[in-house]
Amino acid sequence: MPVALGIESSCDDCSISIVREDGKVLFLNQKNQDQIHKKFGGVVPELASRHHGDVIFPLIDQALKTVPLSNIDCIAVTNRPGLLGSLLVGCVTAKTLSLSWKKALVGVNHIEAHIFSSLLFKKAEARKITIEGPALAFVVSGGHSSLFYVKDIGDSLLLAETRDDSAGEAFDKFARLLGFEWPGGSRLDKLAQTSPLGEQFFSKIQTEDLSFSFSGIKSQGQRLLQKKSKDWIEENKARVCADYQEKIVDHLMEKLSRAFENQPVKQVLVGGGVSANSLFRQRLKEWSQKKSVPCYLPETEFCRDNGAMIAWTGLQYFLKGKTDDLKMPTSPRRLDKDFFKKRKKADYE
């Protein structure tokens, strides 16, 4: 069965993985930089790229001890979008290995890879999920909040994205205001689980179309904390977190439901760091049962940026005969002219 080596270095996680065509993850290891960046309250691009350079080859050496080089068919690497310095470390490494190993090179769009992260599995007995287009894909992370209409690998229609901040950024920034160490989204989630829902500290998030907006609730959170005493905040922190989280998840689910009503699909694929959020996962499962449509969520270790999703997505392109040469571009942007084109909806009906 064909196998790919995946390299992910688009932001602050450096991850190397080896994945089979069916989604079985044969090797996955990564180095995150949470301890490096937490004192700054966010990722420092120059520090991120330097750290990638320190750890990327040791991680690759570990991977080759698990799966020999002779078994690897191609090298997949994130080449867009992300922090330019971080991307360059991964792309230069991949091009160098492709040239020296004489292996095919495939550049992967990081966002598309998140779409298919729910297809990955580690355990031998894990269920195998296949893409049954058309599908709705939901990528919700620290950098992106986007809805896609997916027909196949490389054939996706961008339906909606955030107008301002992403859902993950809204979680992390508010968590920082509450005093949580960065990244605080998961810590906010954990505390919110200790409090019942139903409090009304924040107003409902509303946008007229399918697009998302999270800057407003982030500003509401900041104003609330400025008005209240430290004692009040400490006493009510769990309740505030629960309502803040609920309002964001409500907004996400409202847009998913509206997109599904506009264009019914055979399945829903969810990816990105926020797909690890407990309330979001719960609501998605409830929605899936209510709508009688399969909704696939990644295993929690595949929610965060990882090389496995890059390896699998790149391998699918390789099997279709779509590879890159050493002139492969690297871009901090999505390269919309070549990917996720806003095609006419009629093309998908």
Side-chain angles (χ1 to χ4, degrees), residues 181-224:
E181 287 186 350
W182 184 91
S186 59
R187 295 175 174 86
L188 185 152
D189 179 23
K190 187 175 181 179
L191 183 60
Q193 293 176 50
T194 67
S195 179
L197 300 176
E199 299 283 356
Q200 296 297 322
F201 296 105
F202 304 98
S203 58
K204 180 181 179 181
I205 304 173
Q206 293 181 311
T207 53
E208 294 180 358
D209 53 16
L210 280 178
S211 65
F212 306 93
S213 176
F214 299 101
S215 63
I217 192 168
K218 192 174 71 173
S219 297
Q220 285 186 58
Q222 184 176 19
R223 289 195 297 269
L224 175 69

Side-chain angles (χ1 to χ4, degrees), residues 40-41 49-50 52 64 71 109 162 190 219 227 231 242 263 272 279 299 304 338:
F40 302 104
S49 58
R50 286 182 182 179
H52 289 322
L64 296 180
N71 288 1
N109 186 298
T162 183
K190 187 175 181 179
S219 297
K227 293 177 182 178
D231 290 341
Q263 187 65 64
L279 182 61
E299 297 178 18
R304 190 164 176 158
D338 304 316

Side-chain angles (χ1 to χ4, degrees), residues 114-317:
H114 270 304
I115 289 175
F116 303 116
S117 58
S118 59
L119 281 64
L120 302 169
F121 63 94
K122 266 191 167 182
K123 298 179 180 178
E125 66 274 14
R127 60 194 168 93
K128 183 176 181 294
I129 303 170
T130 56
I131 304 170
E132 295 183 12
L136 274 177
F138 212 171
V139 177
V140 190
S141 68
H144 309 282
S145 294
S146 307
L147 270 170
F148 302 96
Y149 184 80
V150 180
K151 295 184 74 175
D152 198 356
I153 294 282
D155 191 4
S156 298
L157 169 69
L158 176 61
L159 296 177
E161 57 189 339
T162 183
R163 296 176 176 180
D164 38 62
D165 302 330
S166 68
E169 181 183 359
F171 277 128
D172 286 338
K173 292 294 178 63
F174 186 58
R176 182 185 179 188
L177 292 175
L178 287 169
F180 292 113
E181 287 186 350
W182 184 91
S186 59
R187 295 175 174 86
L188 185 152
D189 179 23
K190 187 175 181 179
L191 183 60
Q193 293 176 50
T194 67
S195 179
L197 300 176
E199 299 283 356
Q200 296 297 322
F201 296 105
F202 304 98
S203 58
K204 180 181 179 181
I205 304 173
Q206 293 181 311
T207 53
E208 294 180 358
D209 53 16
L210 280 178
S211 65
F212 306 93
S213 176
F214 299 101
S215 63
I217 192 168
K218 192 174 71 173
S219 297
Q220 285 186 58
Q222 184 176 19
R223 289 195 297 269
L224 175 69
L225 298 182
Q226 288 173 344
K227 293 177 182 178
K228 302 296 183 180
S229 67
K230 291 183 179 180
D231 290 341
W232 185 95
I233 294 171
E234 195 60 35
E235 182 180 345
N236 295 277
K237 187 180 290 188
R239 296 164 59 217
V240 169
C241 287
D243 186 46
Y244 188 86
Q245 177 167 271
E246 184 178 26
K247 292 300 191 297
I248 289 177
V249 171
D250 284 348
H251 186 52
L252 293 170
M253 294 307 302
E254 178 192 352
K255 300 305 180 180
L256 175 61
S257 295
R258 189 183 299 184
F260 182 74
E261 290 169 3
N262 292 343
Q263 187 65 64
V265 293
K266 294 181 180 179
Q267 61 185 190
V268 175
L269 306 173
V270 184
V274 178
S275 63
N277 179 274
S278 62
L279 182 61
F280 190 37
R281 293 177 80 89
Q282 176 190 329
R283 292 285 178 84
L284 284 166
K285 291 174 183 177
E286 292 171 353
W287 181 88
S288 174
Q289 293 176 351
K290 182 178 179 180
K291 299 295 183 181
S292 298
V293 58
C295 180
Y296 298 117
L297 290 157
E299 297 178 18
T300 52
E301 73 175 301
F302 302 132
C303 294
R304 190 164 176 158
D305 295 349
N306 63 88
M309 66 184 191
I310 303 302
W312 188 87
T313 305
L315 184 57
Q316 307 313 305
Y317 279 102

Side-chain angles (χ1 to χ4, degrees), residues 16 23 28 33 49 56 71 78 121 133 194 202-203 271 297 307 319 322 329 340:
I16 303 298
L28 174 63
Q33 303 176 19
S49 58
I56 193 165
N71 288 1
T78 305
F121 63 94
T194 67
F202 304 98
S203 58
L297 290 157
L319 295 174
K322 298 179 180 180
F340 292 145

Side-chain angles (χ1 to χ4, degrees), residues 48-68:
S49 58
R50 286 182 182 179
H51 189 262
H52 289 322
D54 292 337
V55 303
I56 193 165
F57 280 105
L59 288 174
I60 292 171
D61 288 341
Q62 290 177 22
L64 296 180
K65 290 178 181 178
T66 303
V67 179

